[in-house]
Amino acid sequence: METLSVALGERSYPIFIGSDLLAQSHLLNPHIHGKQVCIVTNETIAPIYLEKLKESLAVSQVSSVVLADGEAHKNLTTLNEIFTALLAEKHNRTTTLIALGGGVVGDMTGFAAACYQRGVNFIQIPTTLLSMVDSSVGGKTGVNHAMGKNMIGAFYQPQAVIADISLLKTLPAREVSAGLAEVIKYGLISDAKFFVWLEQNIELLMQGDEAALSYAVLRSCKNKADVVAQDEHEGGIRAILNLGHTFGHAIETAQGYGNWLHGEAVAAGMVMAADLSMRRGDISRTELQRIVALLERAKLPTKAPVDMTPEQFVELMGVDKKVLDGRLRLVLLKSLGQAIVSSDIDSALLMETFAACR
């Protein structure tokens, strides 16, 4: 097992990465400070892992909330199911919420924890590759709105993250690919050596090789933890973690939440960001081709939906948390392994990218 720390002063917390961690109660129980726990999971994960998690808990009251599965249910209506369960079971201010699931469960559990009685503790136990390397780390929580993804939420840090690699054995191949989009992102934005490692090992990751997955999760989480420690609330450098996301969120909103998985939309969005970076003269066409080739080997889409017009992209990208004072800001590549945030976007080049990437 490897342990990382997200260094945020008194809000610092560990990330445990290894296999068969769910049954290791000594990792979990020290981060539960009261006598009550509420596990939030979904209908796909609950039959597989819920009882195993309950067996690890050393508290007097354990309740659970089983939500519908999928991005389409990441909204205020579903969030209210968590609050209703907490109130019905009389959970107090010392309760701990545990998110057992992917990014949707983690984001909603964290947001519920931030809001319930003005803030209670929570722990992340991610069950997808994407949530292990991205959404479970860093404290971003929230829900979607019909007009924009993740527009309602809060920064709220967990007490701990337990990334049990063995949970990925039951993950469908499409979900593995979606998670690899975020893994590849770290190579692009801040870790060129990791990008090369991914080029050499992508097939092992696709096959579910546990050693390769453990290394990829560790390296990804270390990259993210380093950035979050510098900029917890995304006032500066943390924005680079959103490479491809402004394009990708537009795709998810236009196509209907859940029709494109988040990682699939991010993959197409990263190609668009790389294409625009190439047109600005920052990366070469050969580097763009390397990015596309790696994403294709990971069975990820590298083109935006053909039915999305440039005008639709522009409209939806305008409803984005990175828009400031009416100006669109995009995360672009200065080189392989170095990202920048730019509000100096040439509209003609952007239109060329829209035309080339559909």
Side-chain angles (χ1 to χ4, degrees), residues 247-248 250-251 255 260 264-265 267-269 271-272 301-309 313 353-358:
F247 294 106
I251 293 171
Q255 299 300 304
W260 278 56
E264 294 170 340
V271 173
M272 298 177 82
T302 56
K303 296 283 188 181
V306 293
D307 61 349
M308 283 189 69
T309 64
F313 263 107
T353 289
F354 288 139
C357 295
R358 291 171 53 244

Side-chain angles (χ1 to χ4, degrees), residues 1 18-30 56 162 164:
M1 187 186 74
S19 294
D20 301 314
L21 303 186
L22 201 60
Q24 297 187 33
S25 58
H26 66 281
L27 298 178
L28 182 62
N29 287 302
S56 297
I162 299 175
D164 187 340

